[in-house]
Amino acid sequence: QNATYTYAPSSKPTEEGVEPTKEVYSGAWKNNQKNGIGRQNYVGLGDYYGNWVAGEKEGEGVMIYVNQDIYSGQWKKGKKDG
């Protein structure tokens, strides 16, 4: 089942009148966890697109960091593996 989930805004202070940035996951879910292909943005870190298993990055995926560095490869239990 595919769905989009928007996480609560970060608790970091923002300028007056500026809405806090939210993290969003869009993709496949199973048993109320990220599972399958999906995209997750991380405030202040970057964007991940790839495979998820039981809520963690697992298998093939790409992380594009805010400084534009790119990691494309294998992930295991949410960590780079390669």
Side-chain angles (χ1 to χ4, degrees):
Q1 177 177 348
N2 285 331
T4 297
Y5 182 81
T6 302
Y7 295 84
S10 70
S11 59
K12 296 176 185 173
T14 61
E15 295 178 36
E16 188 174 329
V18 176
E19 188 171 322
T21 304
K22 299 174 183 176
E23 294 185 346
V24 177
Y25 171 79
S26 183
W29 293 84
K30 183 178 179 182
N31 297 326
N32 213 25
Q33 292 183 317
K34 301 169 194 168
N35 205 84
I37 299 296
R39 180 181 305 275
Q40 169 80 53
N41 80 302
Y42 297 95
V43 175
L45 183 63
D47 297 305
Y48 171 81
Y49 177 78
N51 202 47
W52 298 82
V53 174
E56 294 189 335
K57 296 183 266 312
E58 184 81 24
E60 191 70 27
V62 177
M63 182 76 181
I64 302 174
Y65 296 92
V66 293
N67 68 359
Q68 299 306 304
D69 285 352
I70 298 172
Y71 172 77
S72 178
Q74 293 295 311
W75 295 78
K76 188 169 186 169
K77 297 184 180 177
K79 299 183 189 272
K80 295 182 236 178
D81 186 46

